[in-house]
């Protein structure tokens, strides 16, 4: 069913809203970020796909025979296969292990969506932003993201993010830098992230 994995450089757009589905994406390495953009241009990160996980956009496009409704971009360098639709359909019909793997991954992705809805609908913004900062922090506690990118991560506006980051900085939780920030008190942010 599968062909040889191919390298895909970071920043490559794998699909856009309105594109037809070319096949089932199997990630071997890297991270694919899936975003939705509103008519006003505001973007929100729906989810990320890591190796072994399923892209719900691709899955639903293949199952329902429809075009993409979101955008998928290689967040890092990828090593991936694009399994043609006919091969995917055949494997779903005949390969019980593949089918179980796909359905298990889809169930996990829906659980992720439930958490996302709960996070956006039921969690205060400071806790939501703290969770995003902790999730995105790299080595040394540095978050390489603009306020606009953090707004997409948290499903909010850039001005809201800027105000809350200013408060975090005043409280000594973060140090603001141009296009990035550094977590000064990750333990305090972790406590805040648990507040609902």
């Amino acid at each position: 069913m599968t062909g040889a994995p191919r390298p895909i450089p970071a920043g490559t757009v794998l699909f856009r809203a309105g594109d037809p589905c070319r096949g089932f994406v199997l990630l071997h390495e890297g991270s694919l970020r899936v975003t939705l953009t509103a008519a006003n241009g505001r973007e929100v990160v729906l989810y990320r796909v890591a190796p072994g996980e399923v892209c719900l956009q691709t899955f639903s496009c293949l199952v329902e025979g429809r075009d993409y409704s979101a955008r998928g971009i290689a967040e890092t360098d990828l090593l991936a296969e694009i399994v043609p639709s006919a091969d995917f359909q055949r494997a779903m019909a005949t390969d019980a292990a593949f089918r179980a793997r796909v359905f298990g991954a889809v169930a996990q992705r829906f659980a992720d969506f439930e958490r996302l809805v709960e996070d956006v609908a039921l969690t205060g913004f400071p806790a939501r932003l703290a969770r995003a900062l902790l999730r995105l922090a790299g080595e040394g506690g540095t978050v390489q993201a603009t306020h606009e990118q953090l707004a997409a991560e948290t499903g909010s506006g850039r001005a809201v993010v800027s105000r809350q980051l200013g408060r975090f900085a005043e409280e000594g939780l973060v140090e603001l830098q141009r296009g990035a920030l550094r977590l000064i008190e990750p333990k305090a942010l972790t406590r805040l992230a648990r507040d609902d």
Side-chain angles (χ1 to χ4, degrees):
M1 174 192 73
T2 60
R6 63 183 179 101
I8 299 170
T12 301
V13 176
L14 274 69
F15 54 83
R16 291 179 175 83
D19 284 353
C21 187
R22 296 181 308 151
F24 188 69
V25 178
L26 280 177
L27 277 187
H28 295 273
E29 295 175 11
S31 175
L32 172 68
R33 185 176 67 240
V34 179
T35 61
L36 188 62
T37 304
N40 65 4
R42 194 162 133 196
E43 183 179 76
V44 65
V45 176
L46 295 176
Y47 56 88
R48 286 176 170 80
V49 182
E53 297 178 345
V54 167
C55 174
L56 278 184
Q57 275 286 310
T58 299
F59 177 77
S60 58
C61 289
L62 286 169
V63 170
E64 297 176 345
R66 64 174 177 80
D67 293 341
Y68 284 104
S69 59
R71 181 175 79 139
I73 186 167
E75 190 165 46
T76 64
D77 289 340
L78 304 178
L79 187 61
E81 298 173 56
I82 309 294
V83 179
S85 178
D87 292 348
F88 170 79
Q89 300 293 349
R90 190 177 311 106
M92 288 296 286
T94 63
D95 186 336
F98 177 76
R99 187 171 52 248
R101 179 177 151 208
V102 169
F103 284 148
V106 168
Q108 180 59 52
R109 184 61 68 202
F110 275 117
D112 294 343
F113 265 125
E114 286 177 343
R115 280 191 295 275
L116 174 66
V117 170
E118 179 183 346
D119 199 31
V120 171
L122 304 175
T123 303
F125 185 70
R128 208 162 73 227
L129 182 57
R131 287 179 193 165
L133 295 176
L134 291 164
R135 183 176 63 247
L136 296 171
E139 196 154 324
T142 299
V143 177
Q144 295 291 335
T146 64
H147 293 196
E148 190 71 35
Q149 290 165 327
L150 290 171
E153 290 288 335
T154 57
S156 63
R158 189 191 62 73
V160 175
V161 168
S162 296
R163 279 193 300 273
Q164 188 59 54
L165 286 176
R167 289 184 193 112
F168 284 175
E170 287 171 7
E171 295 167 8
L173 303 177
V174 301
E175 176 189 1
L176 301 178
Q177 303 165 350
R178 176 171 237 118
L181 59 91
R182 190 168 62 84
L183 306 185
I184 304 296
E185 293 289 342
K187 288 181 182 176
L189 286 168
T190 300
R191 285 191 299 275
L192 179 60
R194 291 188 190 125
D195 290 345
D196 290 330

